[in-house]
Amino acid sequence: MSLFRGQGLTLAAVQTQIDPGRREENQARAAELLASAAGQGTDLACLPACFATGVNFPSIRKDATGLDGPVMDFLADQAQRHGMHIAAGVLLSEGRDIYDAAVLVGPAGDLLGLYRRASLWAGERDYLAAGEPLDAITTPLGRIGLQVSYDLRFPEASRRFLGQGVDVIVCVANLFADFSHHVRSLARARAADNATALVFSSCTGENRFVGMPYVGRSCIVDGLTEGVTADDADVLAEVPAGSREGVVTATLYPRQRRKAGAALPFRGDTAATWRTSYIWEGP
């Protein structure tokens, strides 16, 4: 706790290797990395999309879990064990629909928020249902926005967060390496778009159905960085390219950042210029 900066918020981007359909093995790897994140004083640890199962279209219904299923039980147990918030991707079953979803679990093991991915590419629509944009989630850590994978490609998918004063955007991901050359730039752009921090937690491994590896490249970036000359000063931490697994952390000070953000004309200018119900949800 700093007299001038307020309480610190330590974020962790957790990168795991996913073996499709091997839930127990994937969860065991995630548990080890979450323990490492907790040992670094993490307040919010972020796991990749579908971290426990992967997305294998031929077995998607067998792999998907409900909100009362074993993947959610695992996340609740880990959050309670380490006394921290966890954001993670879950292949979610709801009735006849399957969603590529993100959940936010509190340190008491309670579900604080759920987002079903809205941005689907054409090849997924025979297997996955599309969700709707979600408002930022108010937590003791601040206001947190959830995104999943392909959402990162679309500024519109996170634009509502600017008007809602989000403190952190978490994008859980399992993006194909062949189409993800610009992923680092996209993470930086989405953070800058919304004048906030962004955690990009990605996986490695391979989607065997389409024969493509996942990109990794997990990172934490800061869209409020100002007054610096280094080209990548906004990249606070990142898992090195080519790494299979890892944990990187960064500490922010939300109270100080809110003051800095309020002093900028960006939010007001955006409201005046782009006043639509989809893009702008502020006053």
Side-chain angles (χ1 to χ4, degrees):
M1 179 75 174
S2 166
L3 178 63
F4 298 105
R5 295 186 296 183
Q7 185 71 39
L9 169 62
T10 299
L11 307 169
V14 179
Q15 180 167 301
T16 66
Q17 177 177 317
I18 297 176
D19 291 329
R22 305 190 65 167
R23 178 176 58 81
E24 292 186 0
E25 290 89 338
N26 293 330
Q27 288 182 176
R29 280 196 291 268
E32 291 182 5
L33 293 165
L34 288 171
S36 174
Q40 298 176 58
T42 293
D43 299 297
L44 171 61
C46 308
L47 288 166
C50 299
F51 79 96
T53 60
V55 181
N56 182 40
F57 292 143
S59 62
I60 196 168
R61 293 199 172 274
K62 177 175 68 71
D63 294 337
T65 183
L67 288 176
D68 58 352
V71 176
M72 292 302 299
D73 289 344
F74 167 81
L75 292 171
D77 174 73
Q78 290 293 311
Q80 290 177 296
R81 183 187 303 267
H82 299 299
M84 65 185 179
H85 291 69
I86 298 176
V90 176
L91 188 61
L92 181 64
S93 175
E94 292 186 335
R96 295 183 59 82
D97 291 327
I98 306 294
Y99 294 96
D100 192 2
V103 298
L104 179 64
V105 178
D110 49 332
L111 179 64
L112 302 181
L114 164 67
Y115 164 65
R116 304 162 184 86
R117 175 157 61 99
S119 306
L120 299 180
W121 50 275
E124 294 178 310
R125 292 177 186 146
D126 291 335
Y127 303 93
L128 295 172
E132 297 290 337
L134 176 74
D135 289 339
I137 303 162
T138 300
T139 77
L141 303 181
R143 293 179 64 76
I144 298 172
L146 297 178
Q147 292 198 304
V148 180
S149 291
Y150 198 34
D151 289 328
L152 194 69
R153 273 281 177 184
F154 303 97
E156 297 84 357
S158 59
R159 200 50 157 163
R160 66 197 295 110
F161 294 146
L162 177 65
Q164 295 172 355
V166 73
D167 293 298
V168 180
I169 296 173
V170 176
C171 182
V172 301
N174 53 4
L175 297 172
F176 295 137
D178 289 7
F179 304 118
S180 301
H181 173 73
H182 301 295
V183 69
R184 188 175 188 260
S185 297
L186 289 169
R188 297 169 72 187
R190 297 296 85 82
D193 286 346
N194 297 288
T196 191
L198 186 145
V199 183
F200 176 72
S201 287
S202 180
C203 71
T204 59
E206 183 181 15
N207 185 309
R208 300 189 188 107
F209 180 68
V210 296
M212 291 185 183
Y214 294 118
V215 69
R217 301 300 301 271
S218 300
C219 60
I220 303 171
V221 297
D222 182 7
L224 268 178
T225 299
E226 292 188 309
V228 295
T229 56
D231 288 342
D232 60 354
D234 56 329
V235 180
L236 305 182
E238 60 184 331
V239 177
S243 297
R244 187 184 69 178
E245 296 179 337
V247 177
V248 293
T249 64
T251 300
L252 307 175
Y253 295 87
R255 188 176 77 184
Q256 180 187 50
R257 293 168 59 79
R258 289 177 200 129
K259 289 181 179 179
L264 298 173
F266 189 42
R267 288 188 174 90
D269 291 344
T270 302
T273 307
W274 303 106
R275 199 159 186 92
T276 71
S277 60
Y278 182 78
I279 294 177
W280 185 258
E281 296 290 339

